[in-house]
Amino acid sequence: MVEVTVTPQSSLADRPVQIRVRGLSPSQLVTLRAWLKDEQGECFQSRAFFRADGAGAVDPGLHAALGGSYSGVWPMGLLWFLQPDTLFRRLVKRDVAGSPFHVRLEVFDGLCLGADPREQPLASCEAERWYVGPGVQRVPIRQGRVRGALFLPP
């Protein structure tokens, strides 16, 4: 049975996570896809092609991506190379304290270039990426022409 995991499942956006796929056939060619919808409903996604090792596992921190949104060994590549489906959109988190980005990770058999709704992933999981740690207080700043936010630790 194929399984994809993200460790830790919930983390701050600037912290590294470990993505692993297990249960593949040795040397199986797969596509890892990461995607999320921002607060306006815009979809951002990345994908990378990998060949499983002799144990049937893929670890982007150890195995080089053969192509896709990036190539080479990038442990966080699937999250760093998220691109919008609509040109000229930027991934921006507006409600930094209220909710995380929910990133969906999926594994597909072979090379998966498009988002064909009929294509079913072999496995999937979800990761939470928070922009503010627990207990951090956000204080809006409005002083003359200065606008901003002060983040106070717990």
Side-chain angles (χ1 to χ4, degrees):
M1 184 170 120
V2 178
E3 176 186 38
V4 59
T5 57
V6 177
T7 308
Q9 185 270 331
S10 182
S11 63
L12 290 173
D14 64 345
R15 300 285 186 223
V17 295
Q18 187 171 51
I19 300 168
R20 284 199 173 138
V21 181
R22 294 185 184 103
L24 300 167
S25 301
S27 300
Q28 182 177 353
L29 189 61
V30 294
T31 300
L32 265 64
R33 176 181 176 232
W35 64 275
L36 64 83
K37 287 198 176 191
D38 70 4
E39 293 154 330
Q40 283 75 43
E42 187 67 40
C43 187
F44 291 77
Q45 63 180 316
S46 65
R47 69 186 73 241
F49 313 126
F50 292 92
R51 187 166 301 283
D53 64 14
V58 169
D59 181 343
L62 299 174
H63 304 121
L66 306 174
S69 301
Y70 67 96
S71 60
V73 178
W74 292 80
M76 298 285 293
L78 287 167
L79 301 176
W80 289 343
F81 291 97
L82 288 166
Q83 295 294 314
D85 285 354
T86 305
L87 292 177
F88 308 114
R89 298 287 184 155
R90 288 186 354 181
L91 184 58
V92 175
K93 182 72 171 141
R94 301 222 186 273
D95 181 17
V96 294
S99 64
F101 273 139
H102 294 276
V103 182
R104 190 90 181 146
L105 291 151
E106 300 171 328
V107 182
F108 294 92
D109 186 28
L111 297 178
C112 180
L113 299 174
D116 186 352
R118 295 170 291 164
E119 188 102 26
Q120 291 297 314
L122 300 173
S124 64
C125 71
E126 190 171 277
E128 290 182 349
R129 302 293 281 171
W130 289 88
Y131 282 77
V132 175
V136 172
Q137 181 183 1
R138 181 182 187 271
V139 179
I141 303 296
R142 298 183 131 248
Q143 185 79 26
R145 295 188 315 176
V146 176
R147 301 290 182 265
L150 174 64
F151 291 89
L152 298 171

